[in-house]
Amino acid sequence: MADHYKVLGVSSTASREELKSCYHNLVREHHPDKSSSQDGSNFCQIQEAWEVLSDDNRRRQYDAEIKAAELKTVHPVQEEVSLHEMLFDQDLKQYQKSCRCGGSYVFDESDVCEQYLLVDCDNCSLSIVVDCIHKSS
């Protein structure tokens, strides 16, 4: 997966105005009609990066995918599950899922975020990533 932020030369915290400014500068520099290079791959990457990062929903989803990929490389993950696959204990206000070791993955309702949540087993070194984006209503 290409890093759209690197393609546009901005940080992941860049504002829409910064994205737009960098995008326009790069388009002027790399547009096939203006560039002496016959290879339009740079221009295509710039276009794709702009299309993803300029749309708030697509940018949020892209950021979540990047975060999940980072979590997997920094902290080995056993599996990825969606929030609706977890059991919810109404009394304790906790989500739970059994681990293959006999332990449990447990987290509080207040820990549910807008993206992904890394949860460690309470008995072993295994972890899961919980997809909180696609939670069921």
Side-chain angles (χ1 to χ4, degrees), residues 2-12 26 45-46 49 53 62:
D3 184 335
H4 295 319
Y5 293 106
K6 284 184 182 176
V7 169
L8 294 182
V10 297
S11 75
S12 61
L26 289 169
Q45 287 179 337
I46 293 164
L53 298 179
Y62 174 75

Side-chain angles (χ1 to χ4, degrees), residues 26-44 47:
L26 289 169
V27 164
R28 278 192 289 273
E29 182 180 337
H30 294 282
H31 194 280
D33 292 342
K34 307 260 187 202
S35 177
S36 60
S37 170
Q38 297 296 333
D39 181 19
S41 65
N42 282 346
F43 182 74
C44 291
Q47 277 300 118

Side-chain angles (χ1 to χ4, degrees), residues 81-90 92-98 104-109 112 128 130:
V81 299
S82 62
L83 190 61
H84 74 273
E85 293 177 68
M86 307 285 296
L87 296 174
F88 184 69
D89 185 319
Q90 194 70 19
L92 297 174
K93 302 289 186 207
Q94 290 182 331
Y95 288 91
Q96 302 172 5
K97 179 171 175 55
S98 297
S104 296
Y105 302 103
V106 179
F107 60 94
D108 292 334
E109 182 179 38
V112 174
I128 60 171
V130 180

Side-chain angles (χ1 to χ4, degrees), residues 62-72 115-116:
Y62 174 75
D63 288 345
E65 290 170 5
I66 294 295
K67 181 68 173 174
E70 288 172 1
L71 285 174
K72 288 179 181 177
Q115 298 179 2
Y116 294 91

Side-chain angles (χ1 to χ4, degrees), residues 47-62:
Q47 277 300 118
E48 181 183 356
W50 171 248
E51 288 171 8
V52 170
L53 298 179
S54 65
D55 180 291
D56 290 338
N57 290 330
R58 289 182 70 187
R59 183 176 182 177
R60 216 175 354 265
Q61 183 178 358
Y62 174 75

Side-chain angles (χ1 to χ4, degrees), residues 67-81 105 117-120 125-130:
K67 181 68 173 174
E70 288 172 1
L71 285 174
K72 288 179 181 177
T73 58
V74 172
H75 194 101
V77 174
Q78 173 63 25
E79 67 179 313
E80 186 173 321
V81 299
Y105 302 103
L117 181 65
L118 180 68
V119 183
D120 296 322
S125 63
L126 296 177
S127 300
I128 60 171
V129 171
V130 180

